[in-house]
Amino acid sequence: MNLKRKDLIAIRDLDVEELHLLLATADSFKEVGGREIKKVPTLRGRTVVNLFFEPSTRTRSSFELAAKRLSADVINISPSSSSVVKGETLLDTAKNLEAMGTDVIVVRHGESGAAALLARHLRCSVINAGDGAHEHPTQAILDLSTILERKGRVEGLTVTIVGDVRHSRVARSNLWGLTKLGAHVRLAGPPTMVPAELKDFGAEIHYSLDAALEGADVVMALRLQLERQGAGFFPSLREYSRLWGLTRERLQRAKPDVLVMHPGPVNRGVELAPDVADGLSSVILSQVANGVAVRMAALYLLTGGKSDSVAMAANQ
Amino acid sequence: MNLKRKDLIAIRDLDVEELHLLLATADSFKEVGGREIKKVPTLRGRTVVNLFFEPSTRTRSSFELAAKRLSADVINISPSSSSVVKGETLLDTAKNLEAMGTDVIVVRHGESGAAALLARHLRCSVINAGDGAHEHPTQAILDLSTILERKGRVEGLTVTIVGDVRHSRVARSNLWGLTKLGAHVRLAGPPTMVPAELKDFGAEIHYSLDAALEGADVVMALRLQLERQGAGFFPSLREYSRLWGLTRERLQRAKPDVLVMHPGPVNRGVELAPDVADGLSSVILSQVANGVAVRMAALYLLTGGKSDSVAMAANQ
Amino acid sequence: MNLKRKDLIAIRDLDVEELHLLLATADSFKEVGGREIKKVPTLRGRTVVNLFFEPSTRTRSSFELAAKRLSADVINISPSSSSVVKGETLLDTAKNLEAMGTDVIVVRHGESGAAALLARHLRCSVINAGDGAHEHPTQAILDLSTILERKGRVEGLTVTIVGDVRHSRVARSNLWGLTKLGAHVRLAGPPTMVPAELKDFGAEIHYSLDAALEGADVVMALRLQLERQGAGFFPSLREYSRLWGLTRERLQRAKPDVLVMHPGPVNRGVELAPDVADGLSSVILSQVANGVAVRMAALYLLTGGKSDSVAMAANQ
């Protein structure tokens, strides 16, 4: 089986079979990451470009390592060193990269829809590594992969997403992914940050953290964009942390084997108390580890790899 | 046949045989860029350094991909992350890179003569990726390669170069390359931007775009450095665009099969009307594609590759 | 024999056997740097991350080339493009990189102790590429390697280190390395810059350059951090240069075959007169060349390489 699309832009677009294909392929690549020689020749001679208009250690490094472990050639372009300073349009930049023989462009951009725009106009593959407040599909797939790894299933689980849902592409991608796989999703946060309309998409809306945590199997804390302070979304860091920060005490309302997740980077003491971030329930570092495997899977499948040859690819 | 020089600094220095050697070698590498596995082992274990003191997506990426497709190890150094901030001289920086076992330094610098300075003092190869208003030789070679690809010849063609010729290393490199291969070159732009002395080097000088376009086989628009606004070279963007911007209507004075070229990045609506930039006459993306092959050829020949073994190299 | 530690943080921690092992292994790799194909497959499929919180052409490039010549996958992270701008802690950043399957983190940081902190909390290897005014161990090893190459021994040599010893991690690492291998170390500079307590660690303290140079086998000039001007450590550049700059005339007090060393980048005319920097006694570029071999040795040994298989590794 292979992926019947050239781009990965939004979890909302994927059907359940495609999600399962990505997750199963990622599982095959997890094994590669545990080896001493973490490299397979699958994408040798292919070119992957990381085109990041917003800074990111984690996501850029994760894609760069994924591509290198598949033996692709990778180049990184970030706005400060790119011709964006010369006023070139996003699409012209991307078309130039495509003309150089690029097979996959991984793009992060501040505007919702930027990745879809490129996908529509390019013949090469485009992976959305985060576009505005729209989607961040590989993040949702790595979150699903981590839940599956620990719980064996997604269906029927109660997953509580806490924080600034309004501005979060991570929340949006997870909402689609989790509901497609049959989880019950609760969105919790201050009313300024959790749009009530999202209940139309199958989510429960909570304006009290305690109620939202009651019996939860998984709690995902969203990163608070500290630069939003003073913009009227929350009164103060201290207030946000007191009302919405996850502490060990509060987590007792969730299931005893609850998983605590965070897309990183964590503001310690804001979204998560330090002992929660480092505690036994936390699977944050597993999310990071699975991220590389998920990105290998996405690169592999979008460039024509088939699920039945992954095992072979992983053993080359 | 091989290149009898260790550096590529200026088209003005090359004889016609050397130009033909570079163009023929680039042709061999174009085929590699069209493959699924765009990689040959020719420069495995060699080290290429991109030393860019001016930002550039296009040129740096093109050299980086060219080196990677030849299997060289590549490192990128740009002023913001380099010890230039610590006050080291250009030559000391380059000598240090050479001492690390670098085979080729690709240098872009704001000062005319910077590349020649390095070439004179280093034993390793130096490729000029643009020095001040002096030369940008690989750009001219990729332009010649694109013209040859479309027209089958350069000799006897009329090529009109439009814009800020005075400050353009692209114009200067193309003037030498085109005249060496027997084209008629017309330079067009406002008098502040087209030095009359250039007619001594075999170019026609035009201060009217319509006359300059009459019967042209190729039109190259130069990028307008928007940061020169207010420096007295042109009255305003709108005025520049009205007098010197290429529109479909204006292009009708040129031959019906005229090629429209631009070194990028394009200021849409300034040098080129959008429908010209994206029109059937435009070969801008071919220029970009050929750029990688031309840079592969330069890296290959300067490190001792011979033209008669290119086909072999390309098939390894 | 192999290195019985996972990290390289400080020369002060190493015993003499470990120093000799690193030096001997570097010698094996020097030969690789002289080849046309400067690459061995030793670390294929391993991941090395350069995590540089301070800018550095030389050290970052040297580690990057060392890792690439060992065939490792390398990624570079510098503060401007990292999530440090998002407020993540150093340790969280490093733990995330480790979770992605990183084998070695090479870290440069402005705070003394940063590398040791990471080494303590991570299972992967950590190499200190300079932490505050603490240590820069690979610099000292490459300095020792260069002295050995030229003098055949370190024991019994008189080595004079001149300049801002107080703020210099290079001076500190060399003090430990040189005294462990039996050299006599003299520290010279203005009293504000040479702490008298360092005599407790086996160094002679000199506040007169002429006396410090008398009969020296090796003179190491330290880089003057020009940004410290006006902070009261020295009255002016001109004054510093007049009192502490090495000139040919002054060097006549040293042995006739004295070696002049500098960790770079040199402020020409400040620490060294230009004819000294470029003179026959200067081994500055050998230091740079040896740096790559020393870093290959460190990467090789920390990831489990054994000294008796280096020759084999170097010949793969």
Side-chain angles (χ1 to χ4, degrees):
Chain A
M1 190 179 162
N2 62 350
L3 209 57
K4 282 162 199 68
R5 54 179 71 238
K6 75 170 185 66
D7 309 296
L8 181 58
I9 304 304
I11 298 293
R12 196 175 189 177
D13 301 341
L14 299 179
D15 59 33
V16 174
E17 286 66 39
E18 290 176 300
L19 266 178
H20 281 303
L21 174 60
L22 280 155
L23 288 164
T25 308
D27 275 346
S28 304
F29 284 120
K30 282 180 192 176
E31 186 265 321
V32 173
R35 296 180 193 172
E36 193 172 294
I37 297 184
K38 296 176 283 289
K39 202 164 178 102
V40 293
T42 320
L43 293 193
R44 205 174 72 82
R46 304 295 190 98
T47 300
V48 175
V49 175
N50 283 326
L51 180 59
F52 274 59
F53 293 88
E54 295 182 339
S56 161
T57 295
R58 190 173 313 242
T59 308
R60 193 266 295 166
S61 300
S62 184
F63 272 108
E64 187 174 355
L65 284 175
K68 287 183 167 170
R69 289 184 185 161
L70 292 165
S71 300
D73 290 328
V74 195
I75 63 174
N76 292 310
I77 297 175
S78 57
S80 62
S81 68
S82 94
S83 66
V84 171
V85 301
K86 299 188 186 169
E88 193 180 35
T89 70
L90 169 64
L91 189 55
D92 278 341
T93 299
K95 281 196 167 180
N96 273 282
L97 294 168
E98 178 179 60
M100 291 180 198
T102 297
D103 297 283
V104 185
I105 294 180
V106 178
V107 63
R108 167 164 290 194
H109 197 282
E111 298 289 321
S112 300
L117 175 80
L118 298 192
R120 221 163 31 242
H121 286 89
L122 300 177
R123 287 178 309 278
C124 73
S125 290
V126 176
I127 297 180
N128 181 7
D131 64 326
H134 174 226
E135 283 233 25
H136 186 0
T138 56
Q139 177 70 42
I141 301 168
L142 73 88
D143 289 337
L144 292 170
S145 181
T146 305
I147 295 172
L148 276 168
E149 202 174 73
R150 302 294 175 124
K151 298 288 183 194
R153 64 186 172 106
V154 172
E155 193 166 5
L157 297 182
T158 296
V159 180
T160 303
I161 302 177
V162 182
D164 185 2
V165 172
R166 179 182 297 276
H167 299 100
S168 173
R169 51 200 179 204
V170 173
R172 237 163 294 266
S173 284
N174 266 302
L175 174 58
W176 307 125
L178 288 163
T179 52
K180 277 172 202 277
L181 296 194
H184 306 297
V185 177
R186 297 176 182 165
L187 304 175
T192 48
M193 287 180 159
V194 182
E197 313 87 81
L198 288 174
K199 71 173 182 302
D200 299 344
F201 299 101
E204 282 175 34
I205 310 295
H206 288 263
Y207 300 124
S208 143
L209 182 55
D210 285 346
L213 291 177
E214 200 68 49
D217 295 283
V218 177
V219 185
M220 291 184 181
L222 299 175
R223 178 178 168 75
L224 188 70
Q225 303 296 326
L226 300 186
E227 54 275 27
R228 293 207 203 283
Q229 276 183 80
F233 291 110
F234 59 97
S236 72
L237 265 191
R238 177 187 296 223
E239 172 98 344
Y240 181 87
S241 158
R242 195 174 57 75
L243 288 175
W244 301 102
L246 290 175
T247 58
R248 278 171 65 172
E249 194 190 7
R250 264 203 180 120
L251 270 176
Q252 290 179 345
R253 297 183 175 262
K255 293 243 177 85
D257 61 349
V258 66
L259 301 182
V260 173
M261 304 179 80
H262 191 291
V266 176
N267 296 303
R268 286 168 173 270
V270 180
E271 303 107 38
L272 302 180
D275 61 348
V276 170
D278 301 325
L280 289 174
S281 302
S282 167
V283 293
I284 296 175
L285 293 177
S286 298
Q287 292 174 270
V288 174
N290 291 337
V292 180
V294 162
R295 280 141 192 158
M296 289 175 82
L299 290 167
Y300 173 77
L301 291 169
L302 291 175
T303 52
K306 290 185 175 39
S307 59
D308 30 345
S309 48
V310 180
M312 213 178 61
N315 285 315
Q316 271 179 299
Chain B
M1 190 180 161
N2 64 350
L3 209 57
K4 282 163 200 67
R5 55 180 69 240
K6 75 171 185 66
D7 309 296
L8 181 57
I9 304 303
I11 298 293
R12 196 175 188 177
D13 301 341
L14 299 179
D15 59 34
V16 174
E17 286 66 40
E18 289 176 301
L19 266 178
H20 280 305
L21 175 61
L22 281 155
L23 289 163
T25 308
D27 275 346
S28 303
F29 284 121
K30 281 180 192 177
E31 185 264 322
V32 174
R35 295 180 193 172
E36 193 171 294
I37 297 185
K38 295 175 284 288
K39 202 165 179 103
V40 293
T42 318
L43 294 194
R44 205 175 73 82
R46 305 294 190 98
T47 300
V48 175
V49 175
N50 284 324
L51 180 60
F52 274 59
F53 293 88
E54 295 181 339
S56 162
T57 294
R58 191 172 313 239
T59 308
R60 193 266 296 168
S61 300
S62 185
F63 272 108
E64 186 174 354
L65 284 175
K68 287 183 168 170
R69 289 182 186 163
L70 292 165
S71 301
D73 290 328
V74 196
I75 63 173
N76 292 310
I77 298 176
S78 57
S80 63
S81 68
S82 95
S83 67
V84 171
V85 300
K86 298 188 186 169
E88 194 180 33
T89 70
L90 169 64
L91 189 55
D92 277 341
T93 300
K95 282 198 166 179
N96 273 282
L97 293 169
E98 178 179 58
M100 291 179 198
T102 297
D103 297 283
V104 185
I105 295 180
V106 178
V107 63
R108 167 164 290 194
H109 197 281
E111 298 288 320
S112 300
L117 175 80
L118 296 193
R120 221 161 33 241
H121 287 89
L122 300 178
R123 286 179 310 277
C124 73
S125 290
V126 176
I127 296 179
N128 182 7
D131 63 327
H134 174 227
E135 283 232 27
H136 186 2
T138 56
Q139 177 70 42
I141 301 169
L142 73 88
D143 289 336
L144 292 171
S145 180
T146 305
I147 295 171
L148 275 169
E149 201 174 74
R150 302 294 175 125
K151 297 289 183 194
R153 64 186 172 107
V154 172
E155 193 167 4
L157 296 182
T158 296
V159 181
T160 302
I161 303 179
V162 183
D164 185 3
V165 173
R166 178 182 298 278
H167 299 99
S168 173
R169 51 200 179 205
V170 173
R172 237 162 295 266
S173 285
N174 265 302
L175 174 58
W176 307 125
L178 288 163
T179 53
K180 277 173 203 274
L181 296 194
H184 306 298
V185 178
R186 296 177 182 163
L187 303 175
T192 48
M193 287 180 160
V194 182
E197 315 87 81
L198 288 173
K199 70 173 182 303
D200 300 344
F201 300 101
E204 281 175 35
I205 309 294
H206 288 262
Y207 300 124
S208 143
L209 182 55
D210 284 346
L213 291 177
E214 201 68 48
D217 296 283
V218 178
V219 185
M220 290 185 182
L222 299 174
R223 179 178 166 75
L224 189 70
Q225 304 295 325
L226 301 186
E227 54 275 27
R228 294 206 203 283
Q229 275 184 81
F233 292 108
F234 59 97
S236 72
L237 264 192
R238 177 187 296 223
E239 173 98 343
Y240 181 89
S241 158
R242 195 174 56 74
L243 288 174
W244 300 102
L246 290 175
T247 58
R248 278 171 66 171
E249 194 191 7
R250 263 200 182 125
L251 270 176
Q252 290 179 344
R253 297 180 175 264
K255 296 241 178 85
D257 61 348
V258 65
L259 302 182
V260 173
M261 304 179 79
H262 191 291
V266 176
N267 296 304
R268 286 167 173 270
V270 181
E271 304 107 38
L272 302 180
D275 61 348
V276 170
D278 301 325
L280 289 175
S281 302
S282 166
V283 294
I284 295 174
L285 293 176
S286 297
Q287 292 173 270
V288 175
N290 291 337
V292 180
V294 162
R295 279 139 193 160
M296 289 175 82
L299 290 167
Y300 173 76
L301 291 170
L302 291 175
T303 52
K306 290 183 175 39
S307 59
D308 32 343
S309 49
V310 180
M312 213 179 62
N315 284 314
Q316 272 179 297
Chain C
M1 191 179 161
N2 64 349
L3 209 58
K4 282 162 199 69
R5 55 179 69 239
K6 75 171 185 64
D7 308 296
L8 180 57
I9 305 304
I11 298 293
R12 196 176 188 175
D13 300 341
L14 300 180
D15 59 35
V16 174
E17 286 65 40
E18 289 175 301
L19 266 178
H20 281 303
L21 175 61
L22 281 155
L23 289 164
T25 308
D27 275 346
S28 304
F29 284 121
K30 281 181 192 177
E31 186 265 321
V32 173
R35 296 180 192 172
E36 195 172 294
I37 297 185
K38 296 174 285 288
K39 203 165 177 101
V40 293
T42 320
L43 294 194
R44 205 174 74 82
R46 305 294 189 99
T47 300
V48 175
V49 175
N50 283 325
L51 179 60
F52 274 59
F53 292 89
E54 296 181 339
S56 161
T57 295
R58 189 173 314 241
T59 308
R60 193 266 295 166
S61 300
S62 185
F63 272 108
E64 186 174 355
L65 284 175
K68 286 182 169 172
R69 289 183 185 162
L70 292 166
S71 300
D73 290 329
V74 195
I75 63 173
N76 292 310
I77 298 175
S78 56
S80 64
S81 67
S82 92
S83 68
V84 171
V85 301
K86 298 189 186 170
E88 193 180 34
T89 70
L90 169 64
L91 189 56
D92 277 342
T93 300
K95 282 197 166 179
N96 273 282
L97 293 169
E98 177 178 61
M100 291 179 199
T102 297
D103 297 283
V104 185
I105 294 179
V106 178
V107 63
R108 168 165 290 195
H109 197 281
E111 297 288 321
S112 300
L117 174 81
L118 297 194
R120 221 163 30 241
H121 286 89
L122 301 177
R123 286 179 309 278
C124 72
S125 290
V126 176
I127 297 180
N128 182 7
D131 63 327
H134 174 227
E135 285 231 28
H136 186 0
T138 56
Q139 177 70 41
I141 301 169
L142 72 88
D143 289 336
L144 292 171
S145 181
T146 306
I147 295 172
L148 276 169
E149 201 173 75
R150 302 293 175 125
K151 298 289 183 193
R153 64 187 171 105
V154 172
E155 192 166 5
L157 297 182
T158 296
V159 181
T160 302
I161 302 177
V162 183
D164 186 3
V165 173
R166 179 182 297 278
H167 299 99
S168 173
R169 51 201 179 204
V170 174
R172 237 163 294 266
S173 284
N174 266 302
L175 174 58
W176 307 126
L178 288 163
T179 52
K180 276 173 202 277
L181 296 194
H184 306 297
V185 178
R186 296 176 183 165
L187 303 175
T192 47
M193 286 181 160
V194 182
E197 314 87 81
L198 288 174
K199 72 172 183 301
D200 300 344
F201 299 101
E204 281 175 36
I205 309 295
H206 288 262
Y207 300 124
S208 144
L209 182 54
D210 285 345
L213 291 176
E214 200 67 50
D217 295 283
V218 177
V219 185
M220 289 183 182
L222 299 175
R223 179 179 167 76
L224 189 69
Q225 304 294 327
L226 300 185
E227 54 275 26
R228 295 207 202 283
Q229 276 183 81
F233 292 108
F234 58 97
S236 72
L237 263 192
R238 176 187 296 223
E239 172 98 344
Y240 181 88
S241 159
R242 195 174 57 74
L243 288 175
W244 301 103
L246 290 175
T247 58
R248 277 172 65 173
E249 195 192 7
R250 260 201 182 125
L251 269 177
Q252 290 179 344
R253 296 182 176 264
K255 294 242 177 85
D257 60 349
V258 66
L259 302 182
V260 174
M261 305 179 78
H262 190 291
V266 177
N267 296 303
R268 286 168 172 270
V270 180
E271 303 107 38
L272 301 180
D275 61 348
V276 170
D278 300 327
L280 289 175
S281 302
S282 167
V283 294
I284 296 175
L285 293 176
S286 297
Q287 292 174 270
V288 175
N290 292 337
V292 180
V294 162
R295 279 138 193 160
M296 288 174 82
L299 290 167
Y300 173 76
L301 291 170
L302 291 175
T303 52
K306 290 184 176 38
S307 58
D308 32 344
S309 48
V310 181
M312 213 179 61
N315 285 313
Q316 271 179 297

